[in-house]
Amino acid sequence: MQVDYIIVGFGLAGLAYAEELEKHNKTFIVISDTSQNSSRVAAGMFNPVILKRFTPVWNGKDQIELAIPFYRKIEEKLNKSLGNLDQKIIQYIDIYAILKSIEQQNNWFVACDKPVMEDYMIPKILENKNNQIIAPLGFGKLINTGKVLTELLLDRYKNHLLQKEIFIEETFQHKELIIKEDSVSYKNSTASKIIFCEGFGVKTNPFFNYLPLNEAKGELLIIKAPKLQLDFMLKAAVFIMPLGNDLYKVGATFNWKDKTLIPTKEGKEELITKLETVINTEYTIVNQLAGIRPAVKDRRPLIGQHPKYKNVCILNGLGTRGVMLAPTMAKLLYQNLEENQNLDKVIDIKRYQNLIGN
Ligand SMILES: Cc1cc2nc3c(=O)[nH]c(=O)nc-3n(C[C@H](O)[C@H](O)[C@H](O)COP(=O)(O)OP(=O)(O)OC[C@H]3O[C@@H](n4cnc5c(N)ncnc54)[C@H](O)[C@@H]3O)c2cc1C
């Protein structure tokens, strides 16, 4: 099969590049296994404010402004090709940040005054009226924030690609890739370019494993808490995200040592301890999930062409914010490869050229 692109890896990065290609009527195939699952376990939250310090996320406002229509368009497309869903893939939900001290209350107001925050942060302190939540000093409220149902999105998009017979479920064997001047070949497919979107799986990719990931395992709990009755996301020592039917996602841990996808006792205990500083309600644990965030040493994505093989490219390093970053990064990579637009140095993998061979 002759196509414009081969995409390896189908998490949020691979999906965003596939969407970019469909938008431009390019032909492609996707090859993915399930060895990594960061995008599937993710809470899927989008929010342009770092809630520890009330500072803006790097380019967060611009990324959200691109991401919302991006996911909406996919939702419409999938409803057409696969039939309507009664659930929205992208949903707005306010975030209530528990304020822990008078200093934090003051910091909230200072942050609200920054022009980049005005669409998101409400300049007042809300009183806590829910006795299942521990928040004696009230909440700061964020609006225009929300979540993407990442697992549903990936399942639906995969079905769309399966219908078109362009999704291959298998582990990509890097040693079988044949690279020529103007093309790459893998098994019986030939393409102009290959884009690796493997998340933490990039560690086994001989072309790009020199890139300095600072991967962080994250664990989450799903709890059932019938009396909690939240219709917003709550953020304090942990975040609590309503899923419907009295279920909530609670997360997340950060562990830079353990590289497995196995949920741990330590992760569970840490989440329970933190959760009980936030809520005062009966709950049961329904499930525990774990994934590895493909974070980078300098906290910026890893985008661009291999320094030696121009047809071998990467879209990775989405770290803790894949939902917001993936659409923008896919667009920038496409414009770089197809329209000769330069990549910003802070995201271009050229910044790590000196590490090759180390
Ligand atoms: C607990 C947790 C909570 C999170 N919460 C949020 C959140 O609220 N909001 C947010 O924006 N982000 C969140 N994230 C981060 C987000 O999940 C990541 O930024 C994003 O999912 C990374 O997507 P990716 O496509 O690069 O990687 P992945 O999702 O890991 O996808 C990579 C894909 O490539 C496949 N693959 C790898 N190697 C091969 C190979 N050799 N052959 C074939 N296929 C291969 C993998 O199996 C996988 O399907 C969270 C992450 C975790 C772990």
Side-chain angles (χ1 to χ4, degrees), residues 37-57:
N37 64 355
S38 187
S39 301
R40 287 183 169 271
V41 303
M45 197 187 305
F46 60 87
N47 158 32
V49 183
I50 299 171
L51 288 172
K52 246 189 214 161
R53 300 182 285 276
F54 309 140
T55 49
V57 170

Side-chain angles (χ1 to χ4, degrees), residues 8-14 31-46 170-172 174 197-201 204 216 218-220 252 291-294 315-316 318-324:
V8 179
F10 190 65
L12 288 169
I31 301 172
S32 188
D33 63 15
T34 51
S35 55
Q36 293 297 323
N37 64 355
S38 187
S39 301
R40 287 183 169 271
V41 303
M45 197 187 305
F46 60 87
E170 65 180 42
T171 300
F172 186 87
H174 301 89
C197 307
E198 301 157 300
F200 179 52
T204 60
E219 298 191 50
L220 295 157
I292 300 189
R293 307 169 182 90
L315 201 176
N316 206 320
L318 302 184
T320 57
R321 296 184 199 278
V323 166
M324 283 164 59

Side-chain angles (χ1 to χ4, degrees), residues 223-247:
I223 62 163
K224 191 166 178 87
K227 291 193 190 140
L228 190 54
Q229 301 293 315
L230 291 191
D231 59 359
F232 49 81
M233 293 190 272
L234 190 60
K235 176 72 179 86
V238 281
F239 71 78
I240 305 180
M241 175 187 276
L243 303 174
N245 299 324
D246 298 325
L247 294 171

Side-chain angles (χ1 to χ4, degrees), residues 305-329:
Q305 291 165 298
H306 189 276
K308 191 166 162 205
Y309 309 110
K310 301 297 168 211
N311 305 328
V312 178
C313 311
I314 186 164
L315 201 176
N316 206 320
L318 302 184
T320 57
R321 296 184 199 278
V323 166
M324 283 164 59
L325 278 169
T328 298
M329 294 306 134

Side-chain angles (χ1 to χ4, degrees), residues 1 78 166 226 271 342:
M1 191 196 285
L78 299 182
I166 55 173
L271 290 169
N342 285 335

